[in-house]
Amino acid sequence: MAETAAGVGRFKTNYAVERKIEPFYKGGKAQHLFCVCGTRVNILEVASGAVLRSLEQEDQEDITAFDLSPDNEVLVTASRALLLAQWAWQEGSVTRLWKAIHTAPVATMAFDPTSTLLATGGCDGAVRVWDIVRHYGTHHFRGSPGVVHLVAFHPDPTRLLLFSSATDAAIRVWSLQDRSCLAVLTAHYSAVTSLAFSADGHTMLSSGRDKICIIWDLQSCQATRTVPVFESVEAAVLLPEEPVSQLGVKSPGLYFLTAGDQGTLRVWEAASGQCVYTQAQPPGPGQELTHCTLAHTAGVVLTATADHNLLLYEARSLRLQKQFAGYSEEVLDVRFLGPEDSHVVVASNSPCLKVFELQTSACQILHGHTDIVLALDVFRKGWLFASCAKDQSVRIWRMNKAGQVMCVAQGSGHTHSVGTVCCSRLKESFLVTGSQDCTVKLWPLPKALLSKNTAPDNGPILLQAQTTQRCHDKDINSVAIAPNDKLLATGSQDRTAKLWALPQCQLLGVFSGHRRGLWCVQFSPMDQVLATASADGTIKLWALQDFSCLKTFEGHDASVLKVAFVSRGTQLLSSGSDGLVKLWTIKNNECVRTLDAHEDKVWGLHCSRLDDHALTGASDSRVILWKDVTEAEQAEEQARQEEQVVRQQELDNLLHEKRYLRALGLAISLDRPHTVLTVIQAIRRDPEACEKLEATMLRLRRDQKEALLRFCVTWNTNSRHCHEAQAVLGVLLRREAPEELLAYEGVRAALEALLPYTERHFQRLSRTLQAAAFLDFLWHNMKLPVPAAAPTPWETHKGALP
């Protein structure tokens, strides 16, 4: 395989998480963009959509109810552990935690207008009232059958009235003053979903899932009018008593806004029971409205959909201002959008697409498909992109320079779910789709679509398939178009990949070798090579000339779902169902880095045009933007090495000048035990070693002494360096008080490690002393025999005389 010269020496070594798009709303009421998400309450900034703060109770149980006081100062949350937490939410701290006393989880709660009383309704049928200021329970009301799912205080605090509703569809009026139930309002036949009060406090509006709204006279506790709204209403809001011609409010009187399972906001006149304004019906499923809140001061209406999307409307015109994608469930595919990759588009377990602007977090929710969107791809310039779905269709979308996206073309013809799509690479001329019906279709783009003057009012252009080819015996999971637009690769569950000539889809060859189905195929941008990712946990590279396997990469513990070429075709990025993203160098088959930030299958993987960012999306509902930090890390490492060289030279100079204190401090700051050992050895070579070592050590700071003690543990394990360790320990034990030594960080663990080796060293010294004493004893007690002197020649001659 040819190695591109441009990629040599420019390999990537690491990516770092730059940004996360995470779920922040998983159901429950959304009030002033305080959103509950599992165990947390997230606080969103309306301007940017960014999560400012995330609050989580200590018990880490799911939040079942929460409410914000009317003065916006106090937030109270209730968890499944039957605990209530009072938050100073601006600081993110819990000011009080107490038991709810309910025998089942709290289902709803509400503050009174003075922000001093809190009412809680439980799944045990009880209603309790708490004094938030004095911290005690004031009332306990029994009598509601089943779950109390709705509580509300009367807006006039002097009347001390509390309203509640349970599973019997009745509304109970409780008097805090008499501690009794004043009235039971029975007119609904299904669950009551919301209560709203008029400004004068004499009229109440109730809505229910029985498709009616009822106007109540609170002075007589009688229903004055029943308004059939022909949909299951989840929330009804009374509008301010002022004319708003855009909403059909032209005469004085009571008007209210309803949100329900039809997914539209409607304005009703209470006196006549007539609908005076209906919002346009949004396309696609999952648009049912589950909550609606009117923020009078901000002049906005906030609604929540069944798909956990939050929609912000201007109150006087109901014009859509902002959209927030609260929860994406399982992210199935992601792509960069725009010439400069300024946006990302996300396909999740939903018929809607979500487009995020990276700089501002602004979200746009795209409707069009009628079933779950399975795959995405973007054309070369970044303005056009394609999506395919379970509804057996493919759609083309265009983003304008303002970042607004609209559907400009659609095509259908497959007989099963369309699971993969790929756009042409050289020009915006065609796209290819692959389906569970085992066929691929080639769709040419009409010339009218490429014209910038295409009027969106005409509706999406219909696409016609030019070529249809049955390619495999099982589902087609991936299609890829070569950089020259002349070749097509397909990957299937039948464990093979195939190469086809475009545009007629003529079979050129088959790539066989994987043991399980293929999830992804990808052409190299530089070489005549195809990469395949398989459920057998491997990635293979194939030569296009002879269809042989060039390399196999093993490292994922489960299915490899996506693969992409980076660094001009010299490296690979892969993602798997183990939640890991891996970076590979092709030349040596090495896994350079494993990125672990997802907790579930990583279905989506895409790289930016400049090759400096990567985008991943997974089943854990997270979309993560990764930044290539190779150059930054290399620059940091080079700077660190240069600093080390400078410090080493300084250390050598200090040792040469016998400035031991400065040298020892510098060596400790470098966190290099061997260098510290060298300094201590240099001090001990001095004729006055003992005094100099002691004087030097006593002038060290406490943290430096702690580091020295840690180093001693390592030195003491080696008989060659134990003398230096024992010398340091000797100084510390002689000159430091026991209380000070015990206050050292990690001193107990250090002593436990020092004791066994110190005992061993002393035993060895004892044996050496015994052996030396024995040799000395032998030397002094040995008596060597004195040899007899030989006779001199004179004595011999003298003895021979007569």
Side-chain angles (χ1 to χ4, degrees):
M1 182 178 62
E3 183 76 33
T4 56
V8 177
R10 297 172 66 176
F11 290 140
K12 300 180 188 300
T13 59
N14 197 9
Y15 284 86
V17 175
E18 180 175 271
R19 175 98 193 277
K20 287 185 180 181
I21 301 174
E22 295 185 289
F24 59 79
Y25 176 64
K26 290 172 72 174
K29 64 180 176 181
Q31 185 180 32
H32 302 293
L33 291 196
F34 283 68
C35 311
V36 65
C37 182
T39 61
R40 308 185 310 275
V41 171
N42 293 316
I43 306 168
L44 266 72
E45 184 182 38
V46 178
S48 67
V51 177
L52 295 178
R53 185 169 277 116
S54 188
L55 310 177
E56 185 174 20
Q57 289 188 199
E58 291 179 1
D59 53 34
Q60 294 185 337
E61 292 282 345
D62 282 352
I63 303 293
T64 58
F66 78 97
D67 199 30
L68 183 70
S69 62
D71 61 7
N72 293 334
E73 293 296 326
V74 178
L75 176 75
V76 176
T77 58
S79 72
R80 285 195 183 278
L82 306 183
L83 287 176
L84 293 171
Q86 182 176 328
W87 298 82
W89 63 269
Q90 286 157 332
E91 289 80 32
S93 59
V94 175
T95 56
R96 184 180 166 226
L97 193 69
W98 74 99
K99 290 184 179 179
I101 311 180
H102 289 277
T103 57
V106 175
T108 182
M109 65 173 64
F111 273 95
D112 82 323
T114 64
S115 301
T116 57
L117 296 179
L118 176 76
T120 58
C123 295
D124 55 359
V127 176
R128 292 181 178 272
V129 181
W130 310 86
D131 189 318
I132 293 298
V133 178
R134 297 188 181 94
H135 304 161
Y136 70 96
T138 62
H139 297 76
H140 180 198
F141 296 119
R142 292 192 183 95
S144 303
V147 177
V148 179
H149 58 263
L150 184 64
V151 290
F153 280 96
H154 192 278
D156 184 357
T158 61
R159 297 184 65 173
L160 294 174
L161 293 179
L162 174 66
F163 298 80
S164 71
S165 182
T167 50
D168 63 348
I171 302 169
R172 285 172 171 78
V173 185
W174 308 91
S175 170
L176 300 187
Q177 193 168 5
D178 300 337
R179 297 177 178 270
S180 63
C181 181
L182 293 182
V184 179
L185 312 182
T186 56
H188 284 282
Y189 299 98
S190 187
V192 179
T193 53
S194 71
L195 299 175
F197 300 90
S198 62
D200 59 12
H202 298 319
T203 307
M204 181 179 74
L205 170 72
S206 64
S207 67
R209 297 197 178 110
D210 50 7
K211 303 185 179 182
I212 59 173
C213 290
I214 299 175
I215 311 295
W216 301 87
D217 181 358
L218 293 181
Q219 292 175 323
S220 62
C221 291
Q222 296 296 319
T224 59
R225 185 165 191 90
T226 299
V227 181
V229 293
F230 311 109
E231 69 169 333
S232 178
V233 179
E234 293 296 329
V237 177
L238 281 172
L239 296 177
E241 295 184 16
E242 56 185 40
V244 183
S245 57
Q246 292 169 290
L247 301 182
V249 181
K250 297 176 182 177
S251 59
L254 212 58
Y255 290 82
F256 61 91
L257 184 73
T258 59
D261 59 5
Q262 290 186 9
T264 59
L265 293 173
R266 294 191 289 172
V267 179
W268 301 80
E269 185 181 19
S272 64
Q274 297 296 313
C275 179
V276 296
Y277 175 85
T278 302
Q279 199 181 34
Q281 177 78 31
Q287 301 310 306
E288 300 88 351
L289 298 177
T290 57
H291 298 280
C292 180
T293 302
L294 173 63
H296 293 280
T297 53
V300 295
V301 173
L302 176 68
T303 64
T305 70
D307 274 350
H308 308 300
N309 299 322
L310 301 181
L311 309 176
L312 213 59
Y313 297 95
E314 199 273 319
R316 296 185 65 86
S317 64
L318 291 186
R319 181 179 57 83
L320 185 64
Q321 283 187 337
K322 282 185 177 293
Q323 302 176 81
F324 303 100
Y327 184 57
S328 295
E329 296 189 45
E330 192 170 2
V331 177
L332 301 179
D333 209 355
V334 289
R335 285 292 185 275
F336 284 104
L337 285 184
E340 298 176 355
D341 296 330
S342 56
H343 295 66
V344 296
V345 57
V346 178
S348 60
N349 204 9
S350 160
C352 303
L353 292 171
K354 301 175 182 73
V355 176
F356 296 92
E357 186 179 359
L358 290 175
Q359 191 171 0
T360 64
S361 300
C363 174
Q364 185 180 353
I365 299 167
L366 309 180
H367 306 284
H369 286 287
T370 57
D371 209 337
I372 294 173
V373 180
L374 298 174
L376 303 165
D377 199 24
V378 62
F379 283 93
R380 185 174 64 92
K381 293 181 180 178
W383 298 113
L384 284 176
F385 68 96
S387 62
C388 59
K390 280 188 176 181
D391 60 9
Q392 305 173 13
S393 73
V394 59
R395 284 178 177 263
I396 298 177
W397 310 78
R398 173 183 283 132
M399 184 174 74
N400 61 22
K401 292 184 178 180
Q404 297 301 309
V405 181
M406 65 185 70
C407 180
V408 292
Q410 63 176 339
S412 58
H414 285 287
T415 57
H416 283 81
S417 300
V418 186
T420 177
V421 62
C422 188
C423 300
S424 55
R425 298 303 179 212
L426 278 180
K427 296 180 180 178
E428 296 174 340
S429 53
F430 67 93
L431 59 89
V432 174
T433 56
S435 168
Q436 286 184 1
D437 60 12
C438 307
T439 67
V440 297
K441 288 181 181 286
L442 187 145
W443 310 79
L445 267 61
K447 291 183 179 179
L449 185 64
L450 303 177
S451 171
K452 294 183 180 180
N453 298 322
T454 304
D457 298 336
N458 300 334
I461 299 172
L462 290 178
L463 298 175
Q464 297 294 330
Q466 175 183 321
T467 307
T468 301
Q469 176 69 45
R470 182 178 175 86
C471 297
H472 292 272
D473 296 327
K474 291 186 179 179
D475 298 359
I476 297 173
N477 291 332
S478 179
V479 293
I481 297 172
N484 61 3
D485 284 351
K486 294 181 179 179
L487 297 174
L488 171 71
T490 58
S492 168
Q493 283 295 110
D494 63 8
R495 300 181 291 183
T496 65
K498 294 183 179 181
L499 190 66
W500 310 82
L502 291 177
Q504 300 303 322
C505 285
Q506 299 161 329
L507 182 64
L508 299 177
V510 180
F511 305 95
S512 300
H514 281 291
R515 300 187 302 277
R516 298 184 69 181
L518 274 66
W519 281 113
C520 184
V521 292
Q522 200 67 254
F523 283 99
S524 168
M526 307 297 288
D527 306 309
Q528 295 186 11
V529 170
L530 181 75
T532 57
S534 167
D536 61 13
T538 65
I539 305 159
K540 290 181 181 289
L541 293 185
W542 309 84
L544 298 184
Q545 293 93 340
D546 56 5
F547 307 101
S548 61
C549 180
L550 300 173
K551 284 180 179 288
T552 301
F553 301 86
E554 297 180 356
H556 283 280
D557 295 330
S559 301
V560 185
L561 303 176
K562 280 287 193 294
V563 64
F565 284 90
V566 293
S567 305
R568 298 194 178 187
T570 60
Q571 289 183 294
L572 293 171
L573 266 179
S574 64
S575 66
S577 57
D578 50 9
L580 301 177
V581 178
K582 290 181 178 285
L583 176 65
W584 308 82
T585 298
I586 292 175
K587 188 175 183 179
N588 55 13
N589 276 49
E590 180 189 0
C591 177
V592 180
R593 187 76 57 178
T594 298
L595 309 173
D596 185 6
H598 288 289
E599 297 172 0
D600 211 338
K601 301 179 182 68
V602 185
W603 288 107
L605 172 66
H606 192 221
C607 298
S608 64
R609 297 166 186 275
L610 298 178
D611 207 19
D612 58 345
H613 286 84
L615 192 67
T616 56
S619 296
D620 59 5
S621 197
R622 290 194 183 105
V623 176
I624 297 181
L625 178 67
W626 302 86
K627 183 179 181 181
D628 178 13
V629 294
T630 302
E631 290 185 8
E633 286 188 348
Q634 287 176 348
E636 189 178 326
E637 177 64 21
Q638 185 176 353
R640 192 185 64 79
Q641 289 178 355
E642 290 174 357
E643 186 182 0
Q644 290 280 21
V645 169
V646 171
R647 288 194 170 192
Q648 185 62 49
Q649 183 60 51
E650 184 183 355
L651 186 64
D652 293 341
N653 295 341
L654 291 172
L655 287 174
H656 182 71
E657 297 166 8
K658 296 188 178 181
R659 294 166 62 186
Y660 296 127
L661 176 64
R662 184 84 185 276
L664 191 60
L666 182 60
I668 292 173
S669 68
L670 289 171
D671 196 26
R672 288 161 60 179
H674 184 72
T675 308
V676 177
L677 180 66
T678 306
V679 174
I680 291 177
Q681 286 173 340
I683 295 172
R684 295 187 74 238
R685 282 196 292 269
D686 195 280
E688 300 173 355
C690 187
E691 293 80 4
K692 289 208 170 183
L693 180 62
E694 190 168 314
T696 304
M697 282 184 57
L698 289 176
R699 293 170 64 187
L700 293 175
R701 299 191 310 271
R702 175 172 163 172
D703 61 310
Q704 292 175 322
K705 292 178 184 177
E706 289 173 352
L708 208 51
L709 185 62
R710 286 200 310 272
F711 298 158
C712 284
V713 173
T714 307
W715 303 337
N716 202 45
T717 60
N718 191 323
S719 58
R720 287 180 296 176
H721 306 146
C722 67
H723 301 292
E724 286 76 15
Q726 293 298 325
V728 171
L729 284 173
V731 173
L732 290 174
L733 291 171
R734 282 196 309 273
R735 305 293 297 194
E736 293 283 334
E739 296 80 12
E740 292 183 15
L741 277 176
L742 287 172
Y744 280 14
E745 185 182 350
V747 68
R748 297 183 187 279
L751 289 174
E752 288 177 6
L754 285 166
L755 281 172
Y757 283 100
T758 301
E759 289 174 1
R760 190 181 301 177
H761 297 322
F762 275 109
Q763 288 171 4
R764 190 177 69 251
L765 286 172
S766 299
R767 289 195 298 271
T768 305
L769 284 171
Q770 288 174 5
F774 182 64
L775 283 173
D776 190 53
F777 173 77
L778 285 177
W779 174 256
H780 286 96
N781 288 280
M782 279 194 304
K783 292 184 178 179
L784 298 174
V786 181
T792 62
W794 168 251
E795 288 175 338
T796 305
H797 178 69
K798 183 179 178 182
L801 292 175

